[in-house]
Amino acid sequence: MKILRIDTQKRTSAFEELGAYAGLGGRALTSRMVRAEVPATCHALSGDNKVVIATGTLTGTIAANSGRVSVGAKSPLTGGIKEANAGGKFSQMMAKLGIMAIVLEGKPERDATPCVIKIDASGVGFADAADLAGKGTYEACALLNAKHGEKAGIMAIGPAGENLQMAASIQFTDPENRPARAAGRGGLGAVVGSKKVKAIVLDDSGCKAEPVADKEAFKKAAKRWAEILGSHPVTSQGLPGFGTSILVNVINEAGGLPTKNFRFGRFEHAAEISGEKMVEIINARGGKAKEGCHAGCMIQCSQKYVDEKGQYITSGFEYETVWAMGANSLIKDLDDIARLDRACDDLGLDTIDMGCAIAVAMDAGIIPWGDGKAALALLEKVRTGDPLGRIIGNGTGFTAQAFGVDRAPVVKNQSLPAYDPRAVKGIGVTYATTPMGADHTAGYAVTANILKVGGSVDPLSKAGQVELSKNLQIATAAVDALGLCLFVAFAVLDTADAVQCIADMVAAKIGQPFSVDDVVAIGVNTLKDEIAFNKDAGFTVQHDQLPGFFLKEPLAPHNTTFDLTAEEMQAAKVS
Amino acid sequence: MKILRIDTQKRTSAFEELGAYAGLGGRALTSRMVRAEVPATCHALSGDNKVVIATGTLTGTIAANSGRVSVGAKSPLTGGIKEANAGGKFSQMMAKLGIMAIVLEGKPERDATPCVIKIDASGVGFADAADLAGKGTYEACALLNAKHGEKAGIMAIGPAGENLQMAASIQFTDPENRPARAAGRGGLGAVVGSKKVKAIVLDDSGCKAEPVADKEAFKKAAKRWAEILGSHPVTSQGLPGFGTSILVNVINEAGGLPTKNFRFGRFEHAAEISGEKMVEIINARGGKAKEGCHAGCMIQCSQKYVDEKGQYITSGFEYETVWAMGANSLIKDLDDIARLDRACDDLGLDTIDMGCAIAVAMDAGIIPWGDGKAALALLEKVRTGDPLGRIIGNGTGFTAQAFGVDRAPVVKNQSLPAYDPRAVKGIGVTYATTPMGADHTAGYAVTANILKVGGSVDPLSKAGQVELSKNLQIATAAVDALGLCLFVAFAVLDTADAVQCIADMVAAKIGQPFSVDDVVAIGVNTLKDEIAFNKDAGFTVQHDQLPGFFLKEPLAPHNTTFDLTAEEMQAAKVS
C-alpha cells in the first residue's frame, strides 16, 4: 500500500511509501497525518491545509461492513481537526488500487479551472473540468460515469464545495452510481473546493486488493464477524427493516426528538416522518426499502426513496436528515424532506447543518415554520452563490450570526444532531467534548441511554454519562480507523467476543499479533492526535460546552436541563 | 455619582451607589463591570450580556479633552471583552446628571418594539420608538433633537445595530447634533440592538457636575495640562491643521499604508486622499477644516466635509476611514470616501471593519476594485437587511467566510486598522495581543515607530516592539479610564511632567492623594480585567497572532514580513 500525494497547484502526483504512517488506516491515518502535516492555526482554506482521503485497515477484505472511506483536514467550519467518513464504492476501490491515502496538497489560484483527477492502474491523470463547474453532484457523476465507465467510483463536490461554503460535504457514489453517500460534516467539501478539485474518479480494473497475510484465519474470523452482525436485533432487524429512521418514533417517545429549533422534545407529527411511514411509502410506490451502501454490507440500512410516479428521489435517507429537515423545522411532509435530502446531496451540503440552519432561518423569520417548499427554495440559493445561499451554505452558526439569532444549536460552530442533550445526556457529553464539534457519531451514547444496547445508563441523570461517552469515543475512533461501518457497534457492544473477533481479523490481515488492547489503542491514539491538534489550534475547556440555552431552558416533556459542566466533562477526553 | 441600571425587558430603571465600582471611570469601569457581571461564555446577543456606558473619571471637569464616553460589553464580533469610546456631548452630560454608568441589562423578545430612553433631572423614561425603527442615525437624531430640544445629547444605533450586525457601531451626537462620533469597533451596536434600545437621550438641564474636591489645585493642574497640549506639534499643529488624515502621506511614505487588502505598503493615489487634499477641498467649498468633538477640546481634529455645493456630507472623517475606504479598496475619490463614511455613521457601522469588508468583497469579485459608487451601494444593502447587507454588516471576517476568501485581515475576528504590521511592527504586536481584537487605539506604537514621539523604535525590526506595545497598552487603558482623548498621548509621551499633571488633576478632583503610579495602576488593572475575561471566554496564546499571510508574504516596498511569534508577544500582556 502507498500514499498518493497530489500537488493541486502544479497538478503533479507522487506515490510514496507509508513510512511513519504504516499500520494506520481510516480516521487513525487522516488524523495522524493532519496532526503531523497541517499547521493547527492555518486558515482552513489556505494552501497549508491538506485533504487526506484514507481507506480503512480492513477495507478491501471480505470482512462484512468494512468499506468506509475517511476524509480528514482542518475544518473550515469548526477551526479544529475533522474526520468524516462515508460508504460508497470509493474505499474498496482505493484498497484495490493499493492506495492507503490520497492527499490533496497546495492550492491553485481562486479563479483556476477546477479539475478532475482520474486514478487507475496506469497512474494518475488530471483533466480540466470547466464543463462540470457549478454542476450538481448527480449530473456531474452521471457525466463522469458516462465518460469513465459505470464501474468507476467517484468522490465529488457540489456547488457548495466549489463556492467554499463551510457546510459543504464530499459526496461518494454508491453501488448504483448515485452520489448519495456523504462525508458530510465539518465543511470538508470546501477544502476540496479550495484546491479546485471537482472530483476524483477511481477505476480499479485489473487491480486486486493486497492479499491478507493469513487467509484461513481471516476467513474464520470474518465468518464469526458475520454471525455477530447477523444475530443482533438492531443490525439484523431494526436497521434493515426501517433504515435509521426507525429512530424517529423511538427518540420521540423518549422525549429527545428536538423540535422547532430545539424547543421541545416531541414532534406531534413524528409518525408521519417515521421509518415505518417511509417504508410504507416506498413499498406502495415501488421503491426499494433495503439497500447497502457498499459491497459486503450486511445491514442494508439504505433505501431507494421514490416519488408518486416511482421516480427516484434519494437514497441514504437517514434519521438525522429526516429529523433536521422534519421535526426541527416543523416540516411533516416526507416527500418534501426527501427532496431536501436530495438537494443537499446534489449541492454537496451536510444535511444536519442545513436542517438546523433552516430552522434558524425560520426563527429569524426568513421563511415560515414548517414550509418544506420554502426550505427547498432556500437551499437552492446555494447553487447560484446568491448571498442568501452564501449564508445558509455556511451552516447553522453562520446563519444564526447573519440574522442575529442567539438560539444557535452548535458546539465548535458545528450544529447539534438529532438527539436533544437534555433528554439524552450521554450524547450531550459527546457533543461537548469530541474534537469533531457536535457530532453524534463520535460517541453514540444513545445506545445505553435509550436503546439499552451495551448496558443501560439513565438518560436524564448525570451519572455515568462521562464514562459512557469516553468509552464510546474511543470505540468509535477505532471503528472509523478500521473502515468499519459505525452500526457494527450495536452488535459489538452486546457481544462478548466481538472486539476479539475484530482483533483477530486485523491480526490475520497484517500477519502479526493484534490484541483487543491494540484495538483500544487505535482509538485512544487517534483521539490523542485530534485533541492535540485542537489544543494547538486554540481550543480550551470553554469550547467543550453546549450553548447556554441548553443549560437554562428545561425541555418538555421531561423538563430537564443539561447540567454537566465543561469541567466535569473533561474526563470524557482521553489524556 | 450613581450607577443607573436599566432592565430593558421590563423597561424599569434603578439608581444605585457605586459600591465596589467607586473610583473607576470610563474603560476601567466598563471592563471591571463586564468582567464581574457578564458570564464570559455567554452569547453576546443573549440577555446575559450587558452594555455598560461610562463617563470618564475626569469628565465633566474643566480639564481639556476629557469628554470621552466608554461603552463596554462582551463583543459579538470578537467573542471577547470590548470597550469602545467616543466623543460627542454624551459623556459630559452624563457627568452633569451624576451618572457614572448606564447599564443596559436583560433582553426583550426579538420582535419587541424598540424604545428610546430619556434621562433628565426628573428621572428615566421609556417610550416606544416604532417611528424610528430602521431609520438612519442622522434622521433619527434629528427627530429626537426636534422632540427633546437641541440641547439634548444622544446615543443611537442605526439599522445595522437594530439588525444585530456584528460590525454595528454606537453613534453619539457631536456639539452640532450630528451623530458623527462613533464607538465603532467590536459590534457593540448589535448588543444595544439586541436589547431593543434605539437611542438614549440625555438632557442635563438644571444639573451641575459634581464639584471637584480641591478647586484651586484642579485649576492649576488643568492650566498646565492645557499648556502641555497646546505646545506639542502633533496636538497643536498636525492634528488641528489636517485632522488625523495628516497620516495618509506620512504612513504612505513609511511604506505602511495597506493597499488592496493589505497587498502593498504604498498607494499610488495617496496624495489624492491625504489630509492636505481634504483641507484644500474643504476650504475651496466652504466647509470647516477644524472642529472639536466635545466642549473643551483643544486639538480640534474634526472637520465639516462638504460637497461641491457646500452641503454637509460628514464629520469625524478620520485617517483610518479614509484609508479603509480608500487605499485598501483602491478608491481614490475623496467625495466617494466621504459618502462611505457618512453611510457608516448613518447605518451605524464601524468604518474600519466596513472598509476591510469592502476590500474582501472586491477580492471575492463581488464589486470591482476601486469602485466607490459600487461600494456605497453595497453598504446601503445593510439598511434593508438584504442578505448581502447581512454579510457585509457582519464585518470583515464574516464577509471573508461568506465568500471563502482566506485573505482575511483580522485578529480575534476584528479587522486590522490602517497600519501594515509588516512595516510598523510595534502596532502589529498591539493588534495581536490587545484583548480588544486588532485595534490601533489599544497601544498606538505608530508613535515611536514612525512619528518619533515618545522615543524611537525601528519599525522594521523586532527589537523593542513588545515592550513598546505593552507600555502603550497600559497608558491607553489609563487614558480611556479617565475620559481623556487618546490624542493627548502624543503630548504626554514627549512631556516629562505630563503624567504627574494628570495625577494632580485626579487628586484634586477626588480630594485624595493620587500618584503617577496610581495612573499606571489604572491601566494595568483594567488590562488585567480584560485579559481575565478573555481567558474565561476561551482565548489562548493561539489567538494572539496575525493571520498567516502577514507572516509569509513580504510587503513592498520594504519586503519585510511580520516575524514576531505569538509566544514572543505574550510579554506585551500585563500579568
Side-chain angles (χ1 to χ4, degrees):
Chain A
M1 300 291 283
K2 305 271 185 180
I3 289 170
L4 171 59
R5 291 190 187 266
I6 292 174
D7 182 323
T8 60
Q9 191 183 7
K10 296 188 191 138
R11 291 195 182 175
T12 58
S13 67
F15 286 94
E16 65 180 36
E17 300 302 320
L18 296 176
Y21 299 116
L24 300 172
R27 176 172 163 190
L29 178 51
T30 65
S31 290
R32 176 67 53 83
M33 198 175 266
V34 171
R35 165 77 178 131
E37 301 187 13
V38 175
T41 57
C42 78
H43 195 295
L45 300 181
S46 74
D48 287 339
N49 202 1
K50 300 186 180 188
V51 180
V52 184
I53 306 146
T55 190
T57 303
L58 290 173
T59 306
T61 69
I62 56 162
N65 290 79
S66 65
R68 304 286 291 187
V69 61
S70 285
V71 187
K74 172 166 175 162
S75 163
L77 185 75
T78 69
I81 198 168
K82 190 72 205 161
E83 183 263 5
N85 59 68
K89 295 159 76 174
F90 204 86
S91 199
Q92 289 167 329
M93 295 181 90
M94 279 182 71
K96 281 203 185 160
L97 283 158
I99 302 170
M100 202 67 215
I102 301 167
V103 190
L104 304 180
E105 305 187 342
K107 182 185 168 178
E109 291 299 311
R110 186 180 170 89
D111 57 359
T113 304
C115 77
V116 168
I117 301 170
K118 170 80 187 289
I119 305 170
D120 59 22
S122 71
V124 180
F126 298 84
D128 271 350
D131 55 324
L132 301 182
K135 284 205 174 9
T137 63
Y138 270 85
E139 185 182 358
C141 289
L143 289 166
L144 287 168
N145 274 120
K147 182 169 179 183
H148 298 285
E150 295 301 311
K151 196 165 174 280
I154 303 170
M155 166 189 132
I157 59 168
E162 292 181 66
N163 287 340
L164 309 171
Q165 302 264 264
M166 295 195 292
S169 64
I170 300 172
Q171 301 292 131
F172 293 88
T173 51
D174 67 13
E176 305 206 23
N177 291 337
R178 301 169 305 210
R181 313 309 312 184
R185 311 223 68 194
L188 299 182
V191 187
V192 175
S194 74
K195 303 197 182 301
K196 292 288 175 184
V197 175
K198 174 68 178 174
I200 301 176
V201 179
L202 301 188
D203 182 347
D204 61 1
S205 300
C207 300
K208 263 178 80 172
E210 224 172 46
V212 300
D214 184 339
K215 222 171 178 175
E216 282 315 302
F218 197 93
K219 235 174 157 174
K220 190 179 154 205
K223 193 177 159 216
R224 173 62 192 140
W225 179 240
E227 281 168 14
I228 292 169
L229 297 184
S231 59
H232 192 276
V234 172
T235 46
S236 71
Q237 296 164 34
L239 290 171
F242 303 99
T244 52
S245 279
I246 190 174
L247 286 168
V248 174
N249 284 331
V250 174
I251 304 300
N252 191 57
E253 187 57 35
L257 187 74
T259 300
K260 201 179 183 184
N261 194 17
F262 289 83
R263 279 187 178 78
F264 313 105
R266 286 197 179 131
F267 181 41
E268 58 174 329
H269 300 286
E272 296 165 58
I273 62 170
S274 65
E276 293 83 344
K277 180 73 179 179
M278 180 182 75
V279 168
E280 184 189 316
I281 292 173
I282 287 174
N283 287 338
R285 291 175 177 176
K288 199 170 161 199
K290 214 183 280 191
E291 259 187 18
C293 74
H294 65 278
C297 166
M298 290 182 60
I299 299 177
Q300 304 277 309
C301 71
S302 194
Q303 66 294 100
K304 188 167 97 169
Y305 190 92
V306 296
D307 66 13
E308 287 181 338
K309 294 173 187 160
Q311 294 296 307
Y312 173 82
I313 297 178
T314 196
S315 173
F317 191 25
E318 308 294 351
Y319 161 66
E320 285 75 14
T321 306
V322 169
W323 155 77
M325 304 300 190
N328 200 43
S329 307
L330 303 188
I331 297 172
K332 60 185 181 184
D333 182 320
L334 203 56
D335 284 353
D336 283 350
I337 299 171
R339 289 194 176 89
L340 287 164
D341 181 50
R342 163 66 176 262
C344 283
D345 287 349
D346 193 50
L347 292 159
L349 284 167
D350 177 33
T351 57
I352 297 176
D353 239 298
M354 282 306 97
C356 290
I358 286 168
V360 163
M362 288 170 170
D363 246 340
I366 307 304
I367 58 171
W369 283 106
D371 189 336
K373 310 290 186 284
L376 188 60
L378 190 60
L379 271 194
E380 280 295 331
K381 288 191 180 292
V382 174
R383 199 175 295 275
T384 56
D386 174 276
L388 188 51
R390 289 262 172 203
I391 291 171
I392 296 291
N394 268 340
T396 305
F398 195 84
T399 300
Q401 285 185 303
F403 299 115
V405 173
D406 66 340
R407 190 180 191 82
V410 296
V411 176
K412 301 180 179 71
N413 200 38
Q414 183 168 276
S415 71
L416 267 62
Y419 313 85
D420 197 296
R422 290 164 290 190
V424 193
K425 291 187 179 174
I427 200 77
V429 175
T430 297
Y431 295 163
T433 59
T434 166
M436 294 293 132
D439 182 354
H440 61 295
T441 69
Y444 191 68
V446 179
T447 48
N449 274 184
I450 305 292
L451 306 175
K452 308 308 171 195
V453 166
S456 173
V457 175
D458 177 2
L460 303 179
S461 161
K462 291 164 70 164
Q465 308 295 4
V466 170
E467 196 191 350
L468 173 66
S469 174
K470 180 181 183 177
N471 290 336
L472 289 169
Q473 289 190 50
I474 294 168
T476 303
V479 164
D480 293 343
L482 298 172
L484 296 173
C485 163
L486 182 58
F487 297 156
V488 305
F490 294 110
V492 171
L493 289 166
D494 278 340
T495 311
D497 66 332
V499 183
Q500 183 61 57
C501 177
I502 291 172
D504 291 346
M505 289 194 290
V506 176
K509 180 171 186 209
I510 64 178
Q512 285 172 24
F514 204 85
S515 68
V516 165
D517 286 350
D518 292 329
V519 175
V520 175
I522 295 176
V524 169
N525 292 333
T526 301
L527 287 164
K528 279 185 181 171
D529 281 334
E530 295 166 352
I531 290 167
F533 183 96
N534 279 7
K535 186 171 179 232
D536 286 351
F539 284 87
T540 64
V541 61
Q542 283 86 358
H543 299 97
D544 293 336
Q545 183 51 289
L546 305 180
F549 70 90
F550 289 104
L551 283 61
K552 284 187 164 182
E553 284 182 22
L555 179 77
H558 299 298
N559 297 317
T560 41
T561 58
F562 189 78
D563 51 0
L564 289 108
T565 67
E567 287 72 19
E568 285 170 338
M569 291 190 283
Q570 289 306 295
K573 295 165 82 172
V574 303
S575 56
Chain B
M1 300 292 280
K2 306 273 186 180
I3 289 171
L4 171 58
R5 290 190 187 264
I6 292 173
D7 182 324
T8 59
Q9 190 183 8
K10 296 188 189 140
R11 292 197 182 172
T12 58
S13 68
F15 286 95
E16 65 180 36
E17 299 302 320
L18 296 175
Y21 299 116
L24 301 172
R27 176 173 163 189
L29 178 51
T30 65
S31 289
R32 176 67 53 82
M33 199 176 266
V34 171
R35 165 76 177 132
E37 301 187 13
V38 175
T41 56
C42 79
H43 195 296
L45 300 181
S46 73
D48 286 339
N49 202 0
K50 299 186 181 188
V51 179
V52 184
I53 307 145
T55 190
T57 302
L58 289 173
T59 306
T61 69
I62 56 164
N65 291 79
S66 65
R68 303 287 290 187
V69 61
S70 285
V71 187
K74 171 164 175 162
S75 163
L77 186 75
T78 69
I81 199 167
K82 190 72 207 162
E83 183 263 4
N85 59 68
K89 295 159 77 174
F90 204 86
S91 199
Q92 290 167 326
M93 295 181 92
M94 278 182 72
K96 281 204 185 161
L97 284 159
I99 302 171
M100 203 69 216
I102 301 166
V103 190
L104 304 179
E105 305 187 343
K107 182 184 168 181
E109 291 297 312
R110 187 179 170 90
D111 57 359
T113 304
C115 76
V116 167
I117 300 170
K118 171 79 187 290
I119 305 169
D120 60 21
S122 71
V124 181
F126 299 85
D128 271 349
D131 55 324
L132 301 182
K135 283 202 170 19
T137 63
Y138 270 85
E139 185 182 357
C141 289
L143 289 167
L144 287 168
N145 274 120
K147 183 170 176 180
H148 298 286
E150 295 301 311
K151 193 161 177 287
I154 303 170
M155 164 189 135
I157 60 169
E162 293 182 67
N163 287 342
L164 309 171
Q165 303 266 263
M166 295 195 294
S169 64
I170 299 172
Q171 302 292 131
F172 291 88
T173 52
D174 68 11
E176 304 206 23
N177 291 338
R178 302 170 304 210
R181 313 309 312 184
R185 309 224 69 194
L188 299 182
V191 188
V192 175
S194 75
K195 302 196 182 302
K196 292 290 176 181
V197 174
K198 174 68 179 174
I200 301 176
V201 179
L202 302 187
D203 182 348
D204 62 1
S205 300
C207 300
K208 264 178 81 171
E210 225 174 42
V212 300
D214 185 337
K215 222 168 176 174
E216 282 314 303
F218 198 93
K219 234 171 153 174
K220 189 179 156 206
K223 191 177 163 218
R224 173 65 191 138
W225 179 239
E227 282 169 14
I228 292 168
L229 297 185
S231 59
H232 191 277
V234 173
T235 47
S236 72
Q237 295 163 36
L239 289 172
F242 302 99
T244 52
S245 279
I246 189 173
L247 287 167
V248 173
N249 283 331
V250 174
I251 305 299
N252 191 57
E253 187 56 35
L257 187 73
T259 298
K260 201 179 183 187
N261 195 18
F262 289 84
R263 278 186 179 75
F264 314 105
R266 285 196 181 132
F267 181 42
E268 57 174 329
H269 300 287
E272 296 165 58
I273 62 170
S274 66
E276 292 82 345
K277 181 73 181 178
M278 181 182 76
V279 167
E280 183 190 317
I281 291 173
I282 288 175
N283 288 339
R285 292 175 177 175
K288 200 171 161 198
K290 212 183 283 192
E291 258 187 19
C293 74
H294 65 278
C297 167
M298 289 181 62
I299 299 176
Q300 304 276 310
C301 70
S302 194
Q303 66 295 98
K304 189 166 96 168
Y305 191 92
V306 297
D307 67 14
E308 288 181 338
K309 293 174 188 160
Q311 294 296 306
Y312 174 82
I313 298 179
T314 195
S315 173
F317 192 24
E318 308 295 351
Y319 161 66
E320 285 76 14
T321 305
V322 169
W323 156 76
M325 304 299 189
N328 200 44
S329 307
L330 302 189
I331 298 173
K332 59 184 183 186
D333 182 321
L334 203 57
D335 284 353
D336 282 351
I337 299 171
R339 289 194 177 89
L340 287 163
D341 181 51
R342 165 66 176 261
C344 283
D345 288 349
D346 194 49
L347 292 160
L349 285 167
D350 177 32
T351 57
I352 297 174
D353 239 298
M354 283 306 97
C356 289
I358 286 168
V360 164
M362 288 169 169
D363 246 340
I366 307 302
I367 57 171
W369 282 107
D371 189 336
K373 309 292 188 285
L376 188 60
L378 190 59
L379 271 195
E380 281 296 331
K381 288 191 180 291
V382 175
R383 201 176 294 277
T384 56
D386 175 275
L388 189 50
R390 289 263 173 201
I391 291 170
I392 296 289
N394 269 341
T396 305
F398 195 84
T399 300
Q401 285 185 303
F403 299 114
V405 173
D406 65 341
R407 191 179 190 83
V410 296
V411 176
K412 301 179 180 73
N413 200 38
Q414 184 168 275
S415 71
L416 266 63
Y419 313 86
D420 197 296
R422 290 164 290 189
V424 193
K425 292 188 177 174
I427 201 76
V429 176
T430 297
Y431 295 164
T433 59
T434 165
M436 294 293 133
D439 182 356
H440 60 295
T441 68
Y444 192 70
V446 180
T447 49
N449 273 185
I450 306 291
L451 306 175
K452 309 308 171 197
V453 166
S456 174
V457 175
D458 178 1
L460 303 179
S461 161
K462 290 165 72 165
Q465 307 295 5
V466 170
E467 195 190 353
L468 173 65
S469 174
K470 179 181 183 177
N471 289 337
L472 289 169
Q473 289 191 50
I474 294 168
T476 303
V479 164
D480 293 341
L482 298 172
L484 296 173
C485 164
L486 183 58
F487 296 157
V488 305
F490 294 111
V492 170
L493 288 165
D494 278 341
T495 311
D497 66 333
V499 182
Q500 183 62 57
C501 176
I502 291 172
D504 291 346
M505 288 195 289
V506 176
K509 182 172 183 209
I510 64 177
Q512 284 173 27
F514 203 85
S515 69
V516 165
D517 286 351
D518 292 328
V519 174
V520 175
I522 295 176
V524 169
N525 291 333
T526 299
L527 287 164
K528 280 186 179 171
D529 281 333
E530 294 166 354
I531 290 167
F533 183 96
N534 279 6
K535 185 169 180 233
D536 286 351
F539 284 87
T540 64
V541 62
Q542 283 85 1
H543 300 97
D544 293 336
Q545 184 51 288
L546 304 180
F549 70 90
F550 289 104
L551 284 61
K552 284 187 164 183
E553 284 180 24
L555 179 77
H558 299 297
N559 297 317
T560 42
T561 58
F562 189 78
D563 51 0
L564 289 108
T565 67
E567 288 72 20
E568 286 171 337
M569 291 190 281
Q570 289 307 294
K573 295 163 82 173
V574 302
S575 56

